[in-house]
Amino acid sequence: MVLSSGGARGLAHIGVIEELERRGYQISEVAGCSAGALVGGMFAAGKLSEFKDWICNLDRLDVFSLMDFTFSSRGFIKGEKVFHALKKVIPDHAIEDLIVPFSCNAVDVNSGKEQVFRQGSLYTAIRASGSIPSVFLPAKVEKRYFIDGGVLNPVPISLLSDPHQRMVVVVDTNGLDAHFLPSPVQAKKQGLPLPSWLREFQGKMKQYFPEEKKTETQQSYSALELVTRSFDLLQDRYCQLLLENYPVDVQIKVSRKQAGTLEFHRAAELIEVGRIKAAQALDLLEHGNQ
């Protein structure tokens, strides 16, 4: 099973895994990137249920409280606070001791080469794999610095030990053309308004916390939005090329428009989106084999 990058949209991976298991499929190996490394790592450790309970009980203010903001030019979130909180719920594991074989990738900042993690601290590997450039500070591992594996390999099928000898399921949460699903669950009400300084900060980061739009209207792009849009197009095309080069039995795509990169407070909704998308793809597979 291959789980892509995608920020908060990666929580849809949980719904996909649950639907696969509900139908009796056994996941024998997981390769993840960024958010896919986080969810895949929790599953491989046998702690997906605990992780789901934790993430689904975070509201918007909780998510903000776990973001250790910094004014560094390398990123505006340190990325340590959230792992400190998660470790209180789920202790760290050695990757080589996980229940299910697991691997994830990151990119060495200096060499520009892909680094694959198959042993050592699970949280160290996840932190490195999910260091989204310009958002999170690069992860320091010993004397090396790493950024998000999605920069080079957003759907890391190449990490699987033998993709040609088993059924391969790929979940891509960065689809530009994938069908957007209306919210399948009601988001829980927020009990408190955001503090003024957080609202101001949110305004500056609207590309990561997009406001819901009532109607689809054509908008003019700023220079930053144009660069972001261009990168999205390149990454989506690269994902397609990767998928064409490997035997993929089931491909599940979640729209990039489904949620912003940091909208982790929408966990329950995104998990259900993953379940629905998985059910649709598996129905096609199973009915086609009858």
Side-chain angles (χ1 to χ4, degrees), residues 9-215:
R9 293 184 302 278
L11 297 176
H13 296 318
I14 298 174
V16 173
I17 291 171
E18 290 180 339
E19 183 63 17
L20 282 167
E21 293 193 316
R22 189 186 71 81
R23 295 183 182 224
Y25 291 95
Q26 181 178 354
I27 300 171
S28 57
E29 183 180 1
V30 178
C33 175
S34 195
L38 174 61
V39 174
M42 295 299 101
F43 169 77
K47 300 295 183 181
L48 190 61
S49 178
E50 291 91 332
F51 174 73
K52 177 184 175 182
D53 289 343
W54 179 74
I55 198 76
C56 285
N57 280 290
L58 299 180
D59 61 20
R60 184 184 295 179
L61 282 176
D62 292 327
V63 172
F64 265 92
S65 72
L66 291 174
M67 294 182 184
D68 38 6
F69 296 110
T70 176
F71 293 99
S72 171
S73 60
R74 299 181 300 162
F76 58 81
I77 300 174
K78 294 179 182 178
E80 305 302 330
K81 195 173 182 180
V82 62
F83 284 102
H84 181 70
L86 185 53
K87 284 178 183 179
K88 293 180 179 179
V89 181
I90 302 168
D92 197 2
H93 291 68
I95 295 175
E96 57 269 31
D97 295 335
L98 297 178
I99 298 171
V100 176
F102 168 80
S103 59
C104 67
N105 63 349
V107 177
D108 186 304
V109 174
N110 293 317
S111 70
K113 295 181 179 179
E114 182 180 34
Q115 171 72 33
V116 179
F117 293 89
R118 291 193 172 94
Q119 60 183 10
S121 163
L122 177 61
Y123 281 124
T124 295
I126 292 172
R127 172 67 179 87
S129 185
S131 299
I132 304 172
S134 79
V135 178
F136 293 98
L137 293 179
K140 185 178 181 181
V141 181
E142 296 179 349
K143 296 182 179 180
R144 301 165 67 191
Y145 288 89
F146 295 95
I147 56 175
D148 197 303
V151 172
L152 289 182
N153 193 2
V155 283
I157 307 172
S158 58
L159 271 59
L160 294 176
S161 58
D162 195 349
H164 297 275
Q165 296 299 319
R166 63 183 69 179
M167 176 177 169
V168 176
V169 177
V170 174
V171 189
D172 177 13
T173 62
N174 295 304
L176 286 175
D177 299 323
H179 179 63
F180 172 86
L181 288 181
S183 177
V185 296
Q186 282 289 337
K188 57 183 177 182
K189 296 181 180 179
Q190 306 299 323
L192 295 171
L194 288 175
S196 59
W197 71 271
L198 286 182
R199 290 199 305 270
E200 181 180 354
F201 207 93
Q202 185 181 25
K204 294 177 181 178
M205 301 186 300
K206 63 180 180 179
Q207 69 200 77
Y208 303 108
F209 290 92
E211 296 181 358
E212 293 185 5
K213 297 179 181 179
K214 299 299 182 181
T215 57

